């Protein structure tokens, strides 16, 4: 799989430790992760000009260490070797709380934290359960569906539209529009991908700008109204408002969609565990945690060293980038017994799929509840569901976000 060669003999350029665009890697990154971890828990990749954190303990330490954080401009220059902030997609991404550090991160995150309080999110469970039932009412008589397009995408988009206050008549735009996540990868986008990312931001930005004006005229009991009011009081610039509403929409459905798709595939590839879940519904909460560990929708998160820092006996210099490979950390045998086995009853299971530290995913609880209700609904209503292309499904050609393009399923309709 790997060759002990570090320099291209023709160009004399360093070779990457692995190719995150390789279709074989995208289909199954875990053998590569194991190989990397066996070399060291912290590896320098000269081709990418970044460190790779491969073990659970090192990833966890870096994610929680305040000597590391987000410097988005530096990260972009590391990838593209030139400024990209004049591009719409990158300019707005830089203004999201995801790419900010205190005090701006504290200010931005504080504005939306109440909407994701444990009590409020748990109160949404019944609405999510109802949405799952309504979706399945439409799908069950058909006898077939693309799990990703028809269910895994629609459910979390509807939930986040509810939370933001996007009117029902406008939601088709989001049900039919895919989010470009290639801009999160450490491999540069080509010109076509960059145009697609810019167009996505511009189209959705135009919609949200119009929605902000409507909410100023006609306020609602929703998160967009609350953020517009904060912005009008001087707490947010217009670009910050736009960027962070877009982030909430994108992050609010991307992880859940891939949890459902990756999880259903994993369950059908492990029929013994699928049968176990059918027999013991009390396993659904721990099953979702294990599915997040086993094939995480998020495969890495990036951090930049704010100062020279020693980790695992290695000094990471100020300004250097570290890719914390949470997909590798979640399969670390030093942390998880038989890490390549799916065990829905796994105890003391603490995957790093939602990151850590001050950037821990704001919507982690919501994603888990959506996943639980989705699997309860699908397995309860479609116990005989069959997946097509189970061995060679179609994956999105991304590294940071790991998920399926499509997952065709069929069953005997009633």
């Amino acid at each position: 799989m790997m060759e002990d060669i570090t320099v291209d003999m023709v160009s004399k350029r360093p070779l990457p430790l692995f190719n995150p665009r390789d279709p074989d890697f995208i289909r199954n990154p875990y053998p590569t992760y194991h190989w990397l971890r066996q070399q060291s828990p912290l590896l320098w990749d000269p081709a990418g000009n970044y460190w790779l954190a491969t073990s659970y303990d090192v990833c966890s330490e870096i994610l929680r260490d305040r000597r590391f954080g987000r410097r988005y401009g530096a990260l972009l220059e590391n990838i593209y070797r030139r400024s990209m902030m004049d591009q719409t997609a990158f300019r707005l991404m830089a203004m999201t709380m995801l790419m900010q550090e205190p005090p701006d991160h504290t200010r931005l995150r504080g504005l939306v934290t109440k909407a994701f309080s444990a009590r409020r999110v748990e109160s949404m469970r019944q609405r999510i359960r109802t949405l799952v039932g309504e979706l399945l009412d439409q799908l069950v008589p058909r006898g077939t569906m693309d799990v990703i397009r028809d269910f895994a995408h629609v459910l979390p988009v509807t939930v986040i539209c509810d939370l933001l206050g996007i009117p029902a008549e406008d939601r088709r735009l989001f049900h039919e529009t895919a989010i470009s996540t290639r801009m999160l990868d450490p491999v540069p986008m080509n010109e076509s991908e960059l145009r697609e990312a810019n167009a996505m931001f511009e189209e959705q930005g135009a919609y949200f700008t119009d929605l902000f004006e409507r909410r100023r005229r006609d306020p609602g009991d929703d998160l967009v109204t609350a953020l517009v009011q904060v912005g009008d009081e001087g707490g947010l610039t217009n670009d910050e408002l736009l960027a962070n509403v877009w982030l909430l929409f994108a992050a609010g459905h991307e992880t859940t969609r891939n949890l459902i798709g990756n999880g259903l595939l994993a369950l059908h590839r492990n029929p013994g565990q699928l049968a176990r879940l059918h027999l013991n519904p009390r396993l659904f909460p721990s099953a979702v945690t294990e599915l997040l560990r086993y094939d995480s929708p998020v495969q890495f998160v990036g951090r930049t060293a704010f100062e020279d820092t020693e980790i695992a006996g290695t000094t990471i210099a100020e300004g250097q980038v570290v890719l914390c490979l949470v997909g590798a950390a979640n399969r670390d045998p030093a942390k998880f017994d038989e890490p390549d086995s799916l065990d829905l009853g796994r105890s003391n299971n603490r995957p790093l799929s939602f990151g850590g530290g001050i950037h821990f995913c704001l919507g982690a609880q919501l994603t888990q509840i959506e996943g639980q209700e989705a699997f309860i609904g699908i397995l309860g209503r479609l116990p005989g569901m069959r997946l097509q292309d189970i061995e060679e499904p179609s994956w999105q050609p991304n590294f940071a976000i790991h998920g399926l393009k499509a997952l065709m399923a069929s069953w005997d309709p009633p």
Side-chain angles (χ1 to χ4, degrees):
M1 178 183 63
M2 297 280 183
E3 294 182 9
D4 190 19
I5 299 174
T6 58
V7 176
D8 185 307
M9 300 307 292
V10 176
S11 68
K12 303 302 183 182
R13 294 174 182 170
L15 290 174
L17 294 179
F18 71 104
N19 178 8
R21 297 284 286 165
D22 182 349
D24 287 337
F25 172 80
I26 289 170
R27 281 193 293 269
N28 182 12
Y30 302 105
T32 298
Y33 291 155
H34 285 314
W35 183 89
L36 291 169
R37 194 187 314 103
Q38 287 166 7
Q39 312 312 304
S40 175
L42 196 57
L43 292 164
W44 175 251
D45 190 326
N49 198 36
Y50 46 62
W51 292 94
L52 297 171
T54 65
S55 75
Y56 184 97
D57 286 344
V58 170
C59 287
S60 180
E61 181 177 355
I62 290 173
L63 291 173
R64 290 164 173 77
D65 193 326
R66 293 299 299 128
R67 293 173 296 178
F68 293 89
R70 304 280 195 179
R71 281 185 179 164
Y72 191 53
L75 178 63
L76 283 182
E77 288 190 20
N78 189 67
I79 296 171
Y80 291 90
R81 308 294 196 266
R82 59 191 174 91
S83 175
M84 296 293 285
M85 286 302 183
D86 58 337
Q87 300 292 327
T88 301
F90 294 123
R91 180 177 60 82
L92 288 175
M93 179 63 78
M95 295 183 184
T96 66
M97 70 184 83
L98 181 67
M99 298 302 174
Q100 294 287 336
E101 285 295 302
D104 285 335
H105 173 270
T106 306
R107 172 176 59 88
L108 294 170
R109 188 171 174 120
L111 295 175
V112 298
T113 295
K114 290 181 181 179
F116 290 91
S117 69
R119 178 176 296 180
R120 179 166 184 178
V121 170
E122 183 59 39
S123 73
M124 297 170 66
R125 184 184 290 272
Q126 185 55 55
R127 167 62 175 159
I128 294 167
R129 185 173 298 166
T130 298
L131 288 171
V132 168
E134 292 173 350
L135 268 174
L136 291 171
D137 285 345
Q138 298 172 30
L139 294 168
V140 168
R142 289 169 37 178
T144 185
M145 68 169 162
D146 176 348
V147 172
I148 306 303
R149 182 194 64 208
D150 298 329
F151 185 92
H153 181 74
V154 176
L155 174 64
V157 165
T158 304
V159 172
I160 199 64
C161 282
D162 279 355
L163 191 63
L164 291 173
I166 295 174
E169 61 270 20
D170 295 346
R171 296 182 181 186
R172 182 172 294 277
L173 168 67
F174 300 101
H175 286 153
E176 297 177 351
T177 302
I179 295 293
S180 173
T181 57
R182 265 282 286 128
M183 61 187 299
L184 300 174
D185 283 358
V187 178
M189 291 189 292
N190 59 37
E191 290 187 11
S192 175
E193 291 170 325
L194 181 57
R195 284 196 301 271
E196 179 185 341
N198 284 334
M200 174 194 69
F201 270 88
E202 288 162 3
E203 178 185 19
Q204 295 187 1
Y207 171 79
F208 283 124
T209 299
D210 176 69
L211 181 62
F212 299 158
E213 290 304 315
R214 283 188 275 164
R215 286 293 171 263
R216 289 185 175 99
R217 296 192 302 268
D218 185 18
D221 182 20
D222 54 65
L223 190 51
V224 165
T225 296
L227 291 175
V228 165
Q229 291 171 348
V230 168
D232 290 348
E233 293 166 2
L236 282 168
T237 68
N238 286 334
D239 276 350
E240 283 179 333
L241 175 60
L242 180 60
N244 284 283
V245 168
W246 176 87
L247 174 68
L248 290 170
F249 169 74
H253 81 274
E254 190 71 25
T255 301
T256 302
R257 182 182 72 179
N258 294 321
L259 164 62
I260 295 169
N262 297 1
L264 277 176
L265 179 63
L267 288 171
H268 282 79
R269 285 177 167 177
N270 293 269
Q273 291 296 306
L274 179 58
R276 183 183 181 189
L277 192 54
H278 276 298
L279 290 171
N280 186 0
R282 289 180 296 179
L283 282 176
F284 276 104
S286 66
V288 167
T289 301
E290 173 68 350
L291 292 169
L292 283 164
R293 181 200 71 83
Y294 184 76
D295 200 13
S296 176
V298 176
Q299 289 288 303
F300 82 85
V301 290
R303 294 290 187 269
T304 301
F306 292 157
E307 60 186 74
D308 290 356
T309 306
E310 184 173 320
I311 299 286
T314 299
T315 298
I316 300 174
E318 179 183 356
Q320 287 185 330
V321 172
V322 185
L323 304 188
C324 294
L325 301 179
V326 297
N330 288 347
R331 296 282 190 107
D332 186 347
K335 180 67 176 180
F336 302 99
D337 293 335
E338 299 185 16
D340 293 324
S341 296
L342 185 68
D343 178 2
L344 301 185
R346 190 181 293 273
S347 60
N348 194 30
N349 195 3
R350 299 180 183 276
L352 296 179
S353 304
F354 292 116
I358 65 169
H359 290 286
F360 183 82
C361 178
L362 195 63
Q365 183 189 5
L366 180 59
T367 293
Q368 290 170 310
I369 290 175
E370 288 177 300
Q372 291 167 19
E373 294 301 325
F375 290 123
I376 289 170
I378 288 175
L379 299 185
R381 296 281 296 275
L382 299 171
M385 185 175 72
R386 303 173 294 275
L387 297 184
Q388 300 174 22
D389 301 322
I390 190 170
E391 296 304 324
E392 294 293 336
S394 175
W395 293 93
Q396 299 177 58
N398 303 333
F399 173 29
I401 305 299
H402 182 60
L404 294 156
K405 282 185 182 178
L407 186 63
M408 299 306 300
S410 62
W411 57 89
D412 298 326

